[in-house]
Amino acid sequence: MNTATTDTSLALVQTPLMRTSQKLSIAVGGIGLLIILFTWVTRHSFASPGITLSVALLLMAVSVGGYAYSEYAHLPEGIKNNGVMFRSLSNRGIVAYLTGILLTGFYVCLYWYSEYLTGLIQLFDPLSQFMRHKAADQWFVYGSFYTFGVLVLGAKFIYKYRHNRYQIIRTISVMFFQLMFAFLIPAWMLMMNQPEFYFTYFWPLKYDYLFPSTISWLTSSGTHLGIFLVFWGAMMTLIATPTLTYFFGKRWYCSWVCGCGALAETTGDSFRTLSDKSLRAWKIERYLIYSVLVFITITTILLWVNSYMQGGLLGTFSLSVSKTYSFLIGSMFSGVIGTGFYPILGNRSWCRFGCPQAAILGIIQKYFSRFRITTNGGQCIGCGNCSTYCEMGIDVKAYAQRGQDIVRASCVGCGICSAVCPRGVLRLENGSADIFDRTTITKL
Amino acid sequence: MRIVIIGNGIAGTNAARHIRKNSEHEIIMVSEETLRPFSRTALMYVYMGHVKQENTEMYEDWFWEKNRINRVQSKVLSVDTAGKSLQLSNGNTLTYDALVIATGSKSNKFGWPGQDAKGVQGLYHLQDLEGMERYSPGLQHAVIVGGGLIGIEMAEMFHSRHIPVTFLVREKSFWDLVLPAEESAMINRHIHEHGIDLRLETELKEIQTDADGRANAVITNKDEKIACGFVGLTVGVSPNIDFLKDSGIEIQRGVLVDEHLRTSVPDVYAIGDCAQLRQPQPGRRPIEAIWYTGRMMGQTVARTICGQTTEYIPRLWFNSAKFLDIEYQVYGDIPGRTPEGITSLYWEHPNGKKAIRINYETESKTVTGFNLMGIRYRHEVCEKWLLGKTKLEEVLQNLSLANFDPEFFDAYESALVQQYNQLNNTNLTVKSKRNLNLVTRFLQRS
């Protein structure tokens, strides 16, 4: 097809769609990024680390704000996906690959070569001292960037979807849980000389929270807090997860609370169209995600058996299984591939193909939940917007065309399919009336 | 038995799919337009960069292979009904045992000077999209002629690429033959809000061209000259059946079909936009060029061909569209001008972008139709009320059952009921809130 859309990989967006104000915004953010990169590489900052970091982050925030403002402000509120398929960043152009390389490189340094991050870590020292009374380390740097991304791009997301209250409330929720429970409270606990604990992550996503070593670490202090934390982790995994998922589907966690979800829904929003919608991808998804779940379950059992036998039966075997899991799944899959490859594989590849938490929630969602997406009779025109914007790669359209409810293990309930539908066909709902034949009801 | 389907739009592909569901017949689908059936209604989203062409395809390639639906990309030049064969533009001849004509529509042109110039076209086929792409780079101004659904789509498309648009509409108000006055006025305002230059009561007189034969201006019936590099002609569509002229199949505006979608020639059927019903159902038009009827006809004809002769009975009328940012849904009968004996209950949000209209028979208070602007209602619920000839007051009290807006959205059913109470000195209340369980029970109740 002879279109103007074919050869745009070198342009950030197709030229007529880029406003001057947007180019300026990108330049401002670029300066912020350069300041950080320069300090990272040279270990030399222009001003004190605190000021340098503040200036750089401020520039980047202003950049995102300015870009979003000039993209959406002059138009009446509504779905504004104009040019998504033409942009280099959101359409696997050269900007996407460069971003992917930068992110992947960052993750590799983070997990295995943190000595290369010294320049970067120094920048965060004042903030870390202030928040935690401790020197910064690579994980603090990571957490800070992560939270910054969720907050700044979350604000952009809210502005983009300002006509849609479901999106606004959901995004405020992920921003809140990331900021409070995955950033401020753990730092504050450290400051108070308590264990650095993440209340919004639990086994099997935060797999070590049910490992014998973690439990003995938490309880060893002998405080009530430690016992409470063990109790909290177990309760979330065994009681809260099935109960909440029964009522609301896996969305209560994946697109409302989870930090991985928070990053995917905000920072990763530009990449949601990149998920593979093919049947083949769905097959791979099912093999992979349940394999990871089996892997972590066996690992955990082995560790407990080993702990019970005091290493008598298995020796160091279970520890090496646990290390393998941590390397392959904990670091490679969830970090390097899951986030580093956002611009290539989409923003939910970890959540879709790897996350064992999502696997459990998905099984509950599929078989015992009141949640489903209902379709509106015969109104679907098969335009494909819903499937295109489904970050989990569900071919929503295939169901909508047949007037069939959508009950899929992978659906995180982000609600974007419903938002982008131009004919009002999709609605996220909870209902118990027909809970056991949700999947079989076909209308019209 | 070999079944050949000409056309792979929604009617043709749905026929193919259902023939396969019901039989083991050989199926061949012929299309000049493309090998991969796609959703025509999504062309605008491809141009706007919301989706890619491949995202609009109805099924992945394996689907056609698995279901043994053979696809041929070629133009059908003529049909020989005596010899039961088709002449294709690729030189081949294709024989059939049963033939389904599903060739859709083509854009209307009404003999304007310059209507065949470069940069003048409608929007229906994939090739039309390619035409728009070809003329878009460097385009300074586009003029769209015709105030209907495709016209406003085309205006939105250019607008999305920051190309200024002038939109010529013959009527006093946008699409006012179909939309009641208030809804039509709402869309007028919304078009202006987007900065699109809407000219009401303005018609095209002439298209002027440059030395290369490309459009460079239009002259309106008010003798105003508007410079432009592209003219969109969106003044309706008509059946795309020129190739049938000498086939012996009886045609008028479309291919004439009976209630079983059979043409005048045995074993030849016609469905979708190109079919003209000899006896449409009461209140329905002989040609309805919309997506949903095409889909239903495809399913119906498949049954008939596979031995279960089935009458085409379009159920309750419904349709939907999106005018820039305002979604529109209609269920039942909502004419542009409310006829004698019908009363219209209309509520509009203070922001002027959302509205609910319920029409009912003044005397009996039987509900006859729903019109929604910027609000989503549930098809099955509205349909059940309308087919069940439900009375207005019962509908009003249960109106939440119909609400299909996303969670946390404001619900306006109470506001509408309050308005009704004030007008009629009644004291009705909305009985419940949105609730899927109630909806499921309501729909399951016989």
Side-chain angles (χ1 to χ4, degrees):
Chain A
M1 194 165 112
N2 172 26
T3 70
T5 65
T6 43
D7 187 21
T8 50
S9 61
L10 282 169
L12 195 60
V13 299
Q14 216 190 11
T15 32
L17 290 181
M18 177 88 100
R19 292 161 201 282
T20 313
S21 49
Q22 285 175 309
K23 289 178 187 163
L24 271 175
S25 299
I26 290 173
V28 167
I31 294 169
L33 187 64
L34 277 179
I35 292 175
I36 286 177
L37 289 178
F38 179 85
T39 320
W40 178 1
V41 174
T42 64
R43 302 184 190 185
H44 174 85
S45 61
F46 300 102
S48 74
I51 290 174
T52 310
L53 182 67
S54 307
V55 168
L57 292 182
L58 189 70
L59 286 175
M60 290 200 271
V62 166
S63 164
V64 172
Y67 188 90
Y69 185 80
S70 41
E71 177 82 15
Y72 308 123
H74 65 288
L75 288 171
E77 53 189 42
I79 296 301
K80 294 288 153 352
N81 286 324
N82 296 340
V84 165
M85 294 301 174
F86 308 148
R87 289 192 177 96
S88 182
L89 180 64
S90 53
N91 192 29
R92 294 195 186 113
I94 193 146
V95 180
Y97 279 92
L98 289 175
T99 311
I101 289 168
L102 186 69
L103 279 173
T104 311
F106 176 71
Y107 272 95
V108 169
C109 292
L110 189 68
Y111 286 115
W112 302 295
Y113 300 99
S114 60
E115 64 270 23
Y116 292 119
L117 293 176
T118 315
L120 202 53
I121 293 169
Q122 281 169 358
L123 264 185
F124 285 80
D125 243 343
L127 183 64
S128 179
Q129 289 293 355
F130 172 73
M131 287 178 60
R132 320 190 298 172
H133 293 184
K134 256 186 85 172
D137 55 14
Q138 80 264 37
W139 301 113
F140 182 75
V141 172
Y142 178 49
S144 306
F145 272 135
Y146 198 107
T147 309
F148 177 78
V150 168
L151 294 181
V152 171
L153 286 144
K156 174 179 182 264
F157 186 92
I158 288 174
Y159 188 51
K160 179 179 177 184
Y161 287 101
R162 61 194 187 278
H163 61 288
N164 188 319
R165 201 175 290 159
Y166 181 76
Q167 297 305 333
I168 295 171
I169 295 175
R170 186 176 67 76
T171 308
I172 290 174
S173 172
V174 285
M175 288 161 72
F176 170 79
F177 281 107
Q178 174 59 35
L179 178 66
M180 292 304 294
F181 291 92
F183 190 59
L184 295 181
I185 290 178
W188 178 76
M189 290 177 82
L190 264 189
M191 188 168 83
M192 294 294 169
N193 283 321
Q194 297 294 338
E196 183 185 20
F197 192 83
Y198 294 82
F199 286 91
T200 48
Y201 291 103
F202 13 92
W203 190 92
L205 176 54
K206 189 82 177 150
Y207 43 89
D208 54 350
Y209 277 12
L210 283 190
F211 282 0
S213 54
T214 311
I215 289 179
S216 63
W217 165 63
L218 284 174
T219 48
S220 65
S221 64
T223 61
H224 293 304
L225 180 67
I227 293 163
F228 171 72
L229 295 180
V230 172
F231 168 75
W232 174 266
M235 203 253 339
M236 288 312 287
T237 297
L238 300 173
I239 297 169
T241 297
T243 311
L244 288 167
T245 311
Y246 166 75
F247 282 105
F248 306 113
K250 77 198 269 190
R251 56 180 170 156
W252 77 268
Y253 189 68
C254 297
S255 64
W256 283 73
V257 172
C258 176
C260 306
L263 194 72
E265 296 292 341
T266 55
T267 312
D269 178 52
S270 300
F271 311 114
R272 59 172 61 246
T273 64
L274 301 175
S275 58
D276 189 336
K277 315 302 192 288
S278 68
L279 191 64
R280 198 177 57 105
W282 186 12
K283 282 184 184 153
I284 296 171
E285 167 194 318
R286 282 176 290 179
Y287 279 112
L288 264 181
I289 193 165
Y290 298 119
S291 305
V292 173
L293 179 61
V294 168
F295 190 0
I296 187 58
T297 308
I298 291 175
T299 305
T300 309
I301 292 170
L302 281 178
L303 285 170
W304 278 102
V305 169
N306 191 47
S307 154
Y308 185 73
M309 312 272 299
Q310 297 181 341
L313 183 66
L314 299 159
T316 56
F317 175 70
S318 52
L319 198 63
S320 61
V321 171
S322 150
K323 276 188 174 157
T324 310
Y325 183 87
S326 157
F327 173 79
L328 278 182
I329 311 296
S331 309
M332 279 303 286
F333 203 158
S334 76
V336 180
I337 297 173
T339 312
F341 284 28
Y342 263 17
I344 309 303
L345 296 176
N347 57 335
R348 284 277 194 179
S349 54
W350 158 248
C351 311
R352 179 183 181 191
F353 296 103
C355 176
Q357 186 82 54
I360 293 180
L361 292 164
I363 293 170
I364 301 172
Q365 167 156 292
K366 171 112 194 186
Y367 296 105
F368 316 103
S369 171
R370 299 158 72 125
F371 173 75
R372 84 290 306 266
I373 301 175
T374 58
T375 54
N376 201 1
Q379 289 281 24
C380 176
I381 52 167
C383 71
N385 270 290
C386 52
S387 300
T388 306
Y389 285 85
C390 177
E391 55 191 356
M392 299 305 282
I394 299 171
D395 191 1
V396 184
K397 174 179 71 171
Y399 299 83
Q401 279 180 308
R402 295 173 194 170
Q404 206 174 358
D405 287 358
I406 297 144
V407 178
R408 279 279 291 267
S410 61
C411 174
V412 293
C414 70
I416 293 295
C417 58
S418 162
V420 298
C421 174
R423 293 293 187 273
V425 175
L426 301 156
R427 184 165 198 269
L428 279 61
E429 313 211 47
N430 308 307
S432 58
D434 54 352
I435 184 167
F436 291 111
D437 48 29
R438 289 172 310 160
T439 47
T440 51
I441 290 179
T442 309
K443 291 171 243 159
L444 284 184
Chain B
M1 180 159 121
R2 175 191 278 178
I3 298 159
V4 174
I5 301 168
I6 314 177
N8 66 359
I10 181 63
T13 49
N14 222 31
R17 195 163 76 82
H18 282 91
I19 290 169
R20 178 52 71 239
K21 267 191 174 176
N22 298 328
S23 76
E24 288 299 310
H25 297 317
E26 183 186 359
I27 304 171
I28 302 175
M29 209 160 49
V30 187
S31 165
E32 180 195 7
E33 187 178 20
T34 164
L35 202 57
R36 295 196 171 94
F38 69 99
S39 172
R40 190 170 306 294
T41 45
L43 285 176
M44 65 180 295
Y45 298 109
V46 177
Y47 180 91
M48 288 161 65
H50 291 209
V51 303
K52 290 183 183 176
Q53 171 63 27
E54 68 211 47
N55 298 127
T56 70
E57 285 165 10
M58 293 187 197
Y59 300 97
E60 288 182 67
D61 277 345
W62 59 260
F63 177 89
W64 307 109
E65 278 147 41
K66 186 183 154 210
N67 287 294
R68 286 163 290 121
I69 295 169
N70 300 303
R71 295 164 293 157
V72 173
Q73 188 170 8
S74 184
K75 184 180 170 72
V76 176
L77 300 175
S78 61
V79 179
D80 171 9
T81 50
K84 287 196 160 187
S85 70
L86 309 175
Q87 187 58 49
L88 303 183
S89 61
N90 64 11
N92 293 344
T93 304
L94 193 60
T95 58
Y96 63 82
D97 298 301
L99 179 68
V100 180
I101 301 164
T103 46
S105 300
K106 57 184 181 2
S107 303
N108 287 340
K109 292 178 175 183
F110 292 133
W112 293 291
Q115 68 178 15
D116 296 317
K118 290 180 199 160
V120 181
Q121 60 165 81
L123 174 62
Y124 187 91
H125 293 103
L126 186 60
Q127 287 71 20
D128 295 329
L129 181 71
E130 288 165 6
M132 286 183 72
E133 289 285 6
R134 192 158 51 241
Y135 293 110
S136 290
L139 184 60
Q140 297 296 312
H141 201 98
V143 170
I144 314 292
V145 181
L149 297 179
I150 310 227
I152 196 167
E153 280 185 8
M154 230 185 195
E156 183 177 1
M157 289 159 82
F158 283 122
H159 189 60
S160 78
R161 298 242 187 132
H162 308 172
I163 295 167
V165 177
T166 298
F167 190 15
L168 308 185
V169 173
R170 184 182 61 185
E171 290 77 25
K172 278 202 191 80
S173 181
F174 175 78
W175 214 35
D176 67 357
L177 297 174
V178 179
L179 289 179
E182 290 85 354
E183 285 91 329
S184 175
M186 175 186 291
I187 303 305
N188 291 343
R189 291 195 302 270
H190 190 53
I191 294 171
H192 284 302
E193 184 188 12
H194 271 265
I196 293 168
D197 176 24
L198 174 66
R199 309 276 184 95
L200 297 170
E201 295 185 273
T202 309
E203 291 180 54
L204 174 67
K205 204 165 105 184
E206 182 190 336
I207 298 164
Q208 297 187 337
T209 53
D210 62 14
D212 295 335
R214 178 168 173 180
N216 66 3
V218 298
I219 310 287
T220 70
N221 61 342
K222 295 170 179 170
D223 284 325
E224 189 185 352
K225 182 171 174 173
I226 303 167
C228 61
F230 184 95
V231 181
L233 298 179
T234 60
V235 286
V237 294
S238 44
N240 178 26
I241 51 168
D242 289 346
F243 70 107
L244 294 175
K245 268 181 193 151
D246 304 318
S247 63
I249 301 168
E250 201 180 334
I251 54 178
Q252 270 181 8
R253 277 179 54 221
V255 183
L256 286 167
V257 292
D258 65 10
E259 69 278 14
H260 297 114
L261 305 170
R262 294 180 295 213
T263 68
S264 61
V265 173
D267 298 323
V268 179
Y269 304 82
I271 55 173
D273 286 16
C274 68
Q276 179 180 353
L277 289 160
R278 289 175 195 269
Q279 277 170 331
Q281 299 275 314
R284 304 290 290 251
R285 285 166 290 137
I287 300 176
E288 289 178 335
I290 65 166
W291 177 264
Y292 314 105
T293 50
R295 189 176 60 198
M296 287 185 252
M297 284 183 175
Q299 193 166 349
T300 309
V301 85
R303 285 210 194 120
T304 300
I305 289 174
C306 297
Q308 301 168 260
T309 306
T310 307
E311 200 178 329
Y312 170 66
I313 304 172
R315 305 217 305 200
L316 185 88
W317 171 262
F318 68 96
N319 202 359
S320 62
K322 192 173 181 187
F323 306 110
L324 300 160
D325 298 312
I326 298 181
E327 287 175 20
Y328 154 72
Q329 292 182 333
V330 58
Y331 301 105
D333 193 22
I334 302 279
R337 279 183 202 89
T338 310
E340 278 294 298
I342 297 286
T343 305
S344 214
L345 174 65
Y346 179 79
W347 169 87
E348 187 174 303
H349 191 279
N351 75 8
K353 289 192 188 186
K354 292 174 191 275
I356 307 169
R357 177 185 298 275
I358 304 180
N359 277 10
Y360 58 98
E361 291 171 358
T362 314
E363 199 101 319
S364 70
K365 296 217 163 183
T366 300
V367 169
T368 56
F370 296 82
N371 225 31
L372 292 312
M373 307 297 285
I375 292 172
R376 299 172 172 181
Y377 266 21
R378 208 183 284 264
H379 187 176
E380 292 97 327
V381 171
C382 293
E383 184 177 70
K384 188 162 180 175
W385 279 332
L386 290 164
L387 294 179
K389 302 208 176 302
T390 315
K391 304 293 179 205
L392 177 69
E393 300 202 343
E394 191 190 330
V395 167
L396 287 177
Q397 293 178 69
N398 295 293
L399 204 50
S400 296
L401 293 176
N403 189 305
F404 199 71
D405 269 341
E407 294 156 297
F408 305 119
F409 275 41
D410 284 330
Y412 303 107
E413 283 70 43
S414 297
L416 178 76
V417 169
Q418 226 167 23
Q419 186 165 323
Y420 178 81
N421 284 338
Q422 279 173 3
L423 290 168
N424 296 278
N425 262 327
T426 48
N427 201 12
L428 301 179
T429 51
V430 178
K431 278 184 189 162
S432 60
K433 292 193 167 176
R434 275 186 295 229
N435 180 314
L436 179 60
N437 284 351
L438 297 179
V439 172
T440 313
R441 280 184 209 125
F442 171 74
L443 291 175
Q444 283 168 352
R445 212 183 298 149
S446 52

